[in-house]
Amino acid sequence: MKKRQEQEQEGNTRHQKIREALRTSAAEFLAREAGRQSLVTVTEARVSNDGRSGRVYITVLPQSAEESALAFANRNRGEFSKFFKKKIRGISPLHIEFVIDEGEKSRQRLDELGTELS
């Protein structure tokens, strides 16, 4: 029983490390490759349980550039995969999808409403 718990902890730690490596690598890649007409922020990364796919959550300012920034990120997934593979050794390439972080947008809107009420 104890050995199984240790294996699960090791698996969780590895999963967390992959998720953090994905988040920081995506942030670095987008900072270098994305145009200067918008600010793209990586807010979170998630990796599937089997470790084969990942989702990178982003926010974009100004919001009017959101669609083009998301299209750019997803269009350059292949380049990002190469970048990630060079930067992070020992991890199999993941199928990556970039998505807008709707939860973060909602949180920001609530902050705005709270400020307006104050």
Side-chain angles (χ1 to χ4, degrees), residues 35-105:
R36 300 290 178 228
Q37 60 273 25
S38 62
L39 173 65
V40 179
T41 304
V42 175
T43 57
E44 184 179 0
R46 294 184 185 166
V47 179
S48 64
N49 289 336
D50 64 6
R52 294 183 181 181
S53 62
R55 226 178 224 181
V56 177
Y57 292 83
I58 62 172
T59 58
V60 181
L61 291 175
Q63 197 169 359
S64 60
E66 198 172 74
E67 193 175 308
S68 61
L70 182 61
F72 170 82
N74 279 310
R75 197 172 48 248
N76 287 281
R77 287 184 293 193
E79 289 301 313
F80 172 67
S81 289
K82 290 176 190 173
F83 176 81
F84 184 71
K85 190 175 177 181
K86 283 181 186 175
K87 189 165 180 62
I88 310 298
R89 304 248 185 242
I91 297 176
S92 301
L94 307 173
H95 172 73
I96 303 298
E97 178 184 16
F98 289 91
V99 295
I100 297 298
D101 190 340
E102 297 294 339
E104 180 63 17
K105 283 174 54 176

